[in-house]
Amino acid sequence: MGMRIALLGATGATGRLVIGAALRDGHEVQALVRPPRPGSAVRTLPLRDGLVQRTGDATDLESVAEIVKGCEAAICLVGPVREAAPEFVHDDFLSGKQTPMFFGSAV
């Protein structure tokens, strides 16, 4: 059995490729999908076995904490945001207090 992987930035081009590869390799993916904004196109993922989609905000502590709960790994493919990265990313996750994370960039 594979790992349970949390994925932030799942609806982008790179996120979709990561989902496909992870599912093919037998992993489960929990994808954080941002809620639709007024006037913006809704970005959704097709329903697939092993893929769980949760609506939330990658810059919100509660959203991220919920999506990584129970995961063995997490991948962040979120593009640049106007706000600075939340301090909890370093304090909790990279210090070893929480699930190990791989931080990447889709930029």
Side-chain angles (χ1 to χ4, degrees), residues 4 6 16 18 20:
R4 180 176 295 155
R16 290 171 187 268
V18 168

Side-chain angles (χ1 to χ4, degrees), residues 1-97:
M1 176 125 166
M3 293 188 296
R4 180 176 295 155
I5 301 169
L7 179 60
L8 287 70
T11 58
T14 305
R16 290 171 187 268
L17 291 172
V18 168
I19 289 169
L23 294 177
R24 275 191 304 278
D25 288 347
H27 303 294
E28 178 184 316
V29 177
Q30 295 198 121
L32 185 65
V33 179
R34 101 179 122 209
R37 296 183 200 162
S40 295
V42 176
R43 299 179 86 182
T44 60
L45 298 167
L47 297 176
R48 297 174 72 176
D49 288 340
L51 174 62
V52 176
Q53 298 180 61
R54 299 183 194 264
T55 303
D57 183 343
T59 64
D60 175 66
L61 173 60
E62 290 179 21
S63 293
V64 174
E66 186 62 33
I67 201 73
V68 301
K69 191 181 297 179
C71 291
E72 288 84 24
I75 301 170
C76 180
L77 298 171
V78 175
V81 291
R82 291 186 192 130
E83 301 83 21
E87 288 182 26
F88 74 86
V89 169
H90 175 72
D91 294 345
D92 289 342
F93 294 103
L94 298 181
S95 68
K97 294 179 189 174

